Amino acid sequence: MVTPLGLGVTANTEGFRTGQTAFRPVTVFDVSRQRVRTAAQVDLPDALPVTALAPRQARRLDRAGRMLLRAAHEATQQAKWDAQVPAAFVVGTTGGSMSLGETYFRTALHEPLVCREQPTRTIGYQAYRQTALVAQACGIRGPVNVIANACASGANAVGHAWELVRTGQAERVLAAGYDAISQLIFAGFDSLQALSPTQCRPFDAHRDGLALGEGAAALTLETLEAAQARGATILAEITGYGAATDLHHLTQPHPTGDAAFATMMEACHLAGLEPRDLDYVNAHGTGTPLNDSAEAAAITRWAGADAAKLAVSSTKAGIGHLLGAAGAVEAAVCVLALRGQWLPPMPATQTPDAACGFRLVTQPEAARLTNVMTNSFGFGGANATLILRRWT
Amino acid sequence: MSGIFLSGSGAVSPAGWGQEKLLAALRGGELPPTQTIERPGWTRPLTVRRVPAPSPRPAWAAHARMRRAAAISQFAMGAAAEALRDSSGGSLGIVFCTTCGCVNYSRRFYDEVLRDPTVASPLLFPETVFNAPASHLSAVLGTAAANYTLVGDTGVFLHGLALAAGWLAAGRVERCLVVAAEEADWIIADALRHFRKSATLTEGAGAVLLTRGRTAGAFAELECVTDPEPFATRGRRSLRADALQRVATGLPTGLAATGDASCMGEGFSASTVWQVLAAIDTARRSPLPRAMVCVPGAYQEAIGASFMIHPAEIP
């Protein structure tokens, strides 16, 4: 994984366990005229790990693609996947290589007679092209699918990968989510006044918006038989996935969170679990007034009589909203929490919203975790929920 | 056989709103005229084929979600509505496929950002996301079932067919719309000319309704979608032909009709769904037992698909 907390799982684990935050002034593009000027930006080195890509191919990866490559490389190396065994690649993203598209447009507009590098930018801008390069880099030989379901993309990618394995359509799938902050998207959220001018405080009664971040996470999914046959270390098991569409509005959830309720119910049904069996929910929890209200209503309704005992937090409090990467990163955080037996806190949340019928985790905490859930909800009403179980 | 049937289809193209207008043009009728599109900073305009305004205005256009929706969403809705006209009942999934996405609103919004981000319109930004058209489809059609947007090379519509078939086989939904759509904008026409100076950009959409099991209106059965064959990593023209050849060897042998929508211009994912509809139309008219498409791809991969044709009345 690559997040504003660091590069790689080891660098990230302690940060998520202790609720560190990673917000700083944006430096990758000009924000001097924006209302908000901070985000959780990754400290991304230019150098890349050695992979099957030739140097000139690696140079075609933009910032987002380089984060995806790092995450995918780490995952496949850790899993010790043999490049000779076919695997599918399912990736979620919101913006893909938006930065290349922005550069193309600026050049086309301000230097209309310039052709140099424009063809390269045209090809490089395609998210599918970037993901195919990463697939080649990691020795992934199989179909590539890019799911662009806004902020649920990463969760949809993991869920779809799980379904491919579960239904026998693939023996192994690399699932990932990635997004880099871009000027267009940053300005977009700022224009909606969705960005917090203070601090991202999910589920806080005084919350005033989200913070943007960037990053990538990749998970290697395979059948139990395949993993055991090669003596792989199994990190966790995905047991449930729900996907639904909120019809209320293009950008706003239904106030009662009906679609979120539906995805949580569907995921539980597939996992064979009741709400009381869940030990923790990694909420979508963006920190916006509308999302957190709707999600609080959905979680409280779904958990019912067990809501008061249910531990809930949002890691967006520390690393911001990673958009298309969020669902995959948050699934990876759930894996870390299951293995380390701790709950990710959100210390900035001081005054819980009265709508939260559940327990908010605001301080580092050890816990006995067996089943955990992660929610992702996006523009366009894309809603997704994943359930993961501790592997012993 | 897959047991996954095509039970409805629709298209919006520069030939007009409706599949029959597209097919009539492709069968050798009159091609729709081209128009010019201004390219900032150039004296010479670019050439495109645009979808004409619908007449009469469709009822769905009055839906609140469609009022400010971009052209790509309007095209997708037009094709989807036609594909669904004889279908009702059962949960409905949506797989939306696109190569270029919501370009017009994205370009306009970013232009405003560059001029002055403090006044960039918040009405434009939500329509820039890849899944905005899919969201509008779900809202207008009133389906809260699973809804994915796939982004990919020209053949992404065939990936969408495969995904939808998987949903149907797994029982996730009872029906699934697979829609591909593109919209023309000077920025895309500008990008296209870097690779093919004589190419004409086009726009529009196509849709098929897939069902599990043969329904009354089923006219074809999805036989297979091949594995994609990448070529761009080596990037030479001859390797695109090699990839196409590998795709062809992955398709069934025997008599089959093929389709070609290239005379409309470059419509990326929309061109592929038009190619599928044209192939099926040719097979039904010939008649031939099978329709096949091989899609060469614009920048990354070749992919193909095969459909078994079922006897039905020729319109």
Side-chain angles (χ1 to χ4, degrees), chain A residues 263-281:
Chain A
T263 59
M264 288 188 280
M265 290 293 287
E266 182 183 6
C268 277
H269 173 71
L270 286 175
L273 298 173
E274 298 292 329
R276 63 174 174 270
D277 299 317
L278 275 297
D279 303 306
Y280 166 67
V281 176

Side-chain angles (χ1 to χ4, degrees), chain A residues 54 108 111 157 196 203 308 328 350:
Chain A
E111 300 175 88
S196 168
F203 299 109
Q350 297 291 303

Side-chain angles (χ1 to χ4, degrees), chain A residues 33-34 104-106 108-109 112 128-129 132 136 145-149 163 183 188 241 245 247 266 379-380, chain B residues 39 42 65 107 110 114-115 118 131 135 144-145 147-151 159 172 190-191 194 233 299-301:
Chain A
R33 292 179 294 170
Q34 302 288 168
Y104 183 97
F105 177 73
R106 290 196 305 271
L109 199 62
Y128 198 72
R129 178 58 178 268
Q136 183 187 349
N145 275 320
V146 177
I147 297 175
N149 268 18
E163 287 190 324
Q183 188 177 26
Y241 169 54
T245 307
L247 308 183
E266 182 183 6
F379 274 14
Chain B
R39 197 269 191 231
W42 276 31
R65 289 287 290 270
R107 193 254 312 150
Y110 192 51
L114 292 176
R115 291 174 199 278
T118 60
N131 65 321
S135 174
N147 176 327
Y148 281 9
T149 291
L150 299 184
V151 177
H159 283 269
R172 175 171 271 285
D190 183 68
H194 290 298
T233 52
Y299 63 86
Q300 185 62 39
E301 64 182 25

Side-chain angles (χ1 to χ4, degrees), chain A residues 137-316:
Chain A
C138 297
I140 300 296
R141 297 185 301 117
V144 175
N145 275 320
V146 177
I147 297 175
N149 268 18
C151 311
S153 300
N156 285 131
V158 175
H160 182 57
W162 178 70
E163 287 190 324
L164 290 175
V165 174
R166 189 173 73 97
T167 58
Q169 295 179 67
E171 186 176 280
R172 53 170 66 167
V173 183
L174 180 64
Y178 80 113
D179 257 315
I181 53 170
S182 73
Q183 188 177 26
L184 187 154
I185 294 176
F186 191 94
F189 278 98
D190 208 28
S191 75
L192 292 173
Q193 305 211 344
L195 298 180
S196 168
T198 59
Q199 188 177 20
C200 179
R201 292 166 287 168
F203 299 109
D204 192 287
H206 306 299
R207 62 189 184 274
D208 57 8
L210 62 90
L212 285 174
E214 59 180 2
L219 297 95
T220 54
L221 275 63
E222 59 190 309
T223 63
L224 178 63
E225 293 72 25
Q228 289 179 328
R230 59 188 186 83
T233 300
I234 298 172
L235 303 180
E237 180 184 4
I238 297 176
T239 56
Y241 169 54
T245 307
D246 188 326
L247 308 183
H248 178 67
H249 188 273
L250 188 56
T251 58
Q252 296 168 14
H254 191 282
T256 57
D258 290 350
F261 175 81
T263 59
M264 288 188 280
M265 290 293 287
E266 182 183 6
C268 277
H269 173 71
L270 286 175
L273 298 173
E274 298 292 329
R276 63 174 174 270
D277 299 317
L278 275 297
D279 303 306
Y280 166 67
V281 176
N282 182 289
H284 185 57
T286 57
T288 64
L290 292 179
N291 173 81
D292 292 6
S293 295
E295 188 173 11
I299 293 175
T300 303
R301 181 176 150 209
W302 161 76
D306 300 301
K309 301 193 307 286
L310 181 63
V312 177
S313 72
S314 168
T315 42
K316 293 182 176 69

